[in-house]
Amino acid sequence: MVKRRKTHDSPKLGDPQSPALCSCKAVVDDSDNALQCDACENWFHIACVNVSPVAYSAYQTLADQKQFSNWFCPKCLDDKSVDRLPPRCLAALSARIDAIERETSNISRKQDQLVDRMDKLYE
């Protein structure tokens, strides 16, 4: 997902064990214009991965609108073994499937109740 780093999805800045490092080996902090690879989930400064400010702005707009805007870092893009379906997309799809299954179950239960009522009326 492409987005500006936010506190809720970035490592705690004071946590020395989990700083997000760009390929340039510098820390990516919450004020940087940075992209997170949807495959490896590493963060990259846009200048380090040759993404223009205009393209970044477009990705940011999609992220702000909670639209999926897959972005893969150069390493993952070149690696043919990398799964191109990001984990966040899988999680979102799984949640949607679960919601649909729950709704289908509710509809089926209501249908069974209606059939039971109709059977009682016919008796």
Side-chain angles (χ1 to χ4, degrees):
M1 174 175 261
V2 181
K3 58 187 170 187
R4 180 182 304 272
R5 288 182 52 107
K6 302 289 184 199
T7 304
H8 61 77
D9 61 22
S10 63
K12 293 179 184 172
L13 294 177
D15 185 356
Q17 294 181 350
S18 62
L21 296 177
C22 177
S23 57
C24 69
K25 306 297 183 213
V27 172
V28 178
D29 66 28
D30 293 346
S31 63
D32 290 335
N33 287 341
L35 308 173
Q36 184 180 33
C37 177
D38 282 305
C40 67
E41 297 187 348
N42 291 325
W43 287 91
F44 300 87
H45 300 110
I46 63 170
C48 296
V49 287
N50 296 321
V51 173
S52 72
V54 172
Y56 175 78
S57 179
Y59 285 129
Q60 182 66 41
T61 299
L62 289 171
D64 290 345
Q65 295 174 359
K66 301 197 183 312
Q67 300 292 319
F68 286 112
S69 54
N70 298 335
W71 180 82
F72 299 98
C73 70
K75 180 181 176 193
C76 291
L77 197 56
D78 290 340
D79 187 347
K80 302 300 181 211
S81 67
V82 169
D83 187 3
R84 294 293 192 267
L85 191 55
R88 283 182 292 276
C89 290
L90 287 174
L93 290 172
S94 180
R96 290 176 76 179
I97 289 169
D98 290 345
I100 290 168
E101 287 176 347
R102 280 191 304 274
E103 186 63 26
T104 302
S105 178
N106 287 339
I107 290 170
S108 180
R109 189 173 52 253
K110 288 177 183 180
Q111 180 184 13
D112 289 345
Q113 291 171 349
L114 288 172
V115 168
D116 288 344
R117 282 184 183 171
M118 290 186 73
D119 285 345
K120 288 179 183 177
L121 287 173
Y122 284 129
E123 291 177 358

